[in-house]
Amino acid sequence: MTTTALPARPVGELLRGWRERRRLSQLDLSIQADVSTRHLSFVETGRARPTPEMILRLTDHLQVPLRERNQLLLAGGYAPAYPQHGFDAPELAGIADALRSVLAGHPHPALVMDRWWDLLDANDATLALTAGCAAHLLEPPVNVLRLSLHPDGLAPRIVNLAQWRGHLLTQLRQRIERTDDDRLRALEEELLGYPGGEGESTPAAGVVLPLRLRNDAGELSFFSIAATVETAADVTVDELVLETFYPARITDAQGAP
C-alpha cells in the first residue's frame, strides 16, 4: 500500500529544487540524464509537462529517495511508482526475516531503524543498554536519537557525549540534505535543545569514534557499522537501516590502549 500526500508545489519546481540541492546546473543534469537543456528548462518552469518516465529518469540521476520520487510523480499528475508496506507486512516478510536473523545472531547491540531513526526491532543486547532510561522515552515508537541524547535517556551514561552527540547530529544533517524531510528538521531542532554539546568538534583518537557507555561493571566501548538495502523497490525497504555494534578498544589521547 502506498500512502503519499499530494505535494502542493508543481513538479517542475520540485525537480528544480532537487537539482539545486544536489548542486547541479541544468547543463550538468541534462548531460547525465541525456535530456536537452532546453527541455529540462521547460520542465522546471512548467512550460512542458514531464512524462512519468522522464520524472523517474531525472530523479534517478538526482538520487532522490523513493518516498520523494512518489511525491514528484503525484505532483506531475501520475500514480506513485513505488509501493510502501509496513515492516511487518507479508510483502516484506523475507526482508524482515533476514534482518531479524542478523539481530538474533549478533552477540552485541544491533537494531533496525527507519529513516527517522524510529526503532523497528532490536536484539536483547540492545535492550539491555536501555535499562534505567525514562519510561516515556521507551514508549513506541522509540526514537533512537532522542533516546541517545535526551538527559533522561542514555546521555548521562555516555562518557564521550559531546563527540557522540556531534556525530549523531552530523548524520542527521546529512540525511536532511539527502531527503529534504521536515520531520527530520523538527527532530534536529529538538535535539539541538538538549545539553551536552560542548566540544562537539573535538577529534576522536584512534581510527573510529567509539560509543563509550558507563555501566555497573565499568565502561563499554563500541563502534558501529550501518547497512542499507541497495536494491530496494519499496519505500519502507529503501529507508531501512541496520546498525550493528562491535567492541572497540578504548585509547587515550595519544592513541595508546
Side-chain angles (χ1 to χ4, degrees):
M1 179 178 66
T2 300
T3 55
T4 306
L6 185 65
R9 298 161 59 194
V11 63
E13 184 179 331
L14 292 172
L15 285 168
R16 183 175 68 248
W18 280 103
R19 176 179 60 76
E20 293 172 345
R21 194 170 296 112
R22 298 299 185 247
R23 298 172 177 83
L24 293 174
S25 68
Q26 284 187 344
L27 179 59
D28 293 331
L29 180 56
S30 65
I31 292 172
Q32 291 182 20
D34 194 22
V35 179
S36 75
T37 306
R38 176 184 176 86
H39 183 62
L40 179 58
S41 176
F42 279 14
V43 167
E44 290 188 354
T45 58
R47 296 178 65 183
R49 183 190 183 199
T51 64
E53 293 78 15
M54 176 63 69
I55 293 173
L56 291 175
R57 185 194 307 179
L58 293 174
T59 54
D60 184 50
H61 286 280
L62 290 169
Q63 298 181 324
V64 177
L66 300 192
R67 180 182 297 274
E68 283 69 31
R69 294 188 195 192
N70 278 345
Q71 291 177 346
L72 284 157
L73 286 165
L74 284 169
Y78 307 109
Y82 302 97
Q84 179 180 354
H85 299 94
F87 184 62
D88 290 314
E91 292 83 353
L92 300 191
I95 295 290
D97 288 347
L99 292 172
R100 284 170 173 147
S101 69
V102 175
L103 298 182
H106 192 67
H108 309 294
L111 56 158
V112 178
M113 301 166 287
D114 63 18
R115 87 186 282 173
W116 301 285
W117 277 273
D118 284 344
L119 186 66
L120 298 176
D121 208 342
N123 63 5
D124 291 342
T126 303
L127 300 178
L129 294 180
T130 64
C133 294
H136 68 92
L137 296 173
L138 299 175
E139 295 175 359
V142 175
N143 185 271
V144 174
L145 295 190
R146 183 180 294 114
L147 180 63
S148 299
L149 300 182
H150 195 286
D152 294 333
L154 288 173
R157 293 166 47 203
I158 299 177
V159 177
N160 57 336
L161 177 59
Q163 288 180 325
W164 194 251
R165 180 179 187 271
H167 162 67
L168 293 183
L169 288 174
T170 296
Q171 285 193 319
L172 177 54
R173 288 166 188 145
Q174 290 172 345
R175 191 169 297 180
I176 291 171
E177 181 67 19
R178 289 196 304 271
T179 63
D180 192 34
D181 190 308
D182 287 337
R183 182 171 162 187
L184 289 174
R185 287 194 180 91
L187 179 61
E188 180 189 27
E189 183 177 357
E190 175 189 341
L191 299 181
L192 286 172
Y194 295 167
E198 300 79 8
E200 281 182 16
S201 60
T202 303
V207 296
V208 294
L209 174 64
L211 168 63
R212 298 172 57 186
L213 278 174
R214 299 184 189 91
N215 71 352
D216 294 339
E219 183 177 321
L220 302 173
S221 182
F222 300 100
F223 71 92
S224 69
I225 296 176
T228 58
V229 181
E230 291 298 316
T231 55
D234 176 279
V235 172
T236 298
V237 177
D238 186 50
E239 297 172 350
L240 292 176
V241 178
L242 168 67
E243 187 162 13
T244 51
F245 287 81
Y246 300 84
R249 291 201 309 170
I250 300 173
T251 59
D252 61 21
Q254 287 71 45

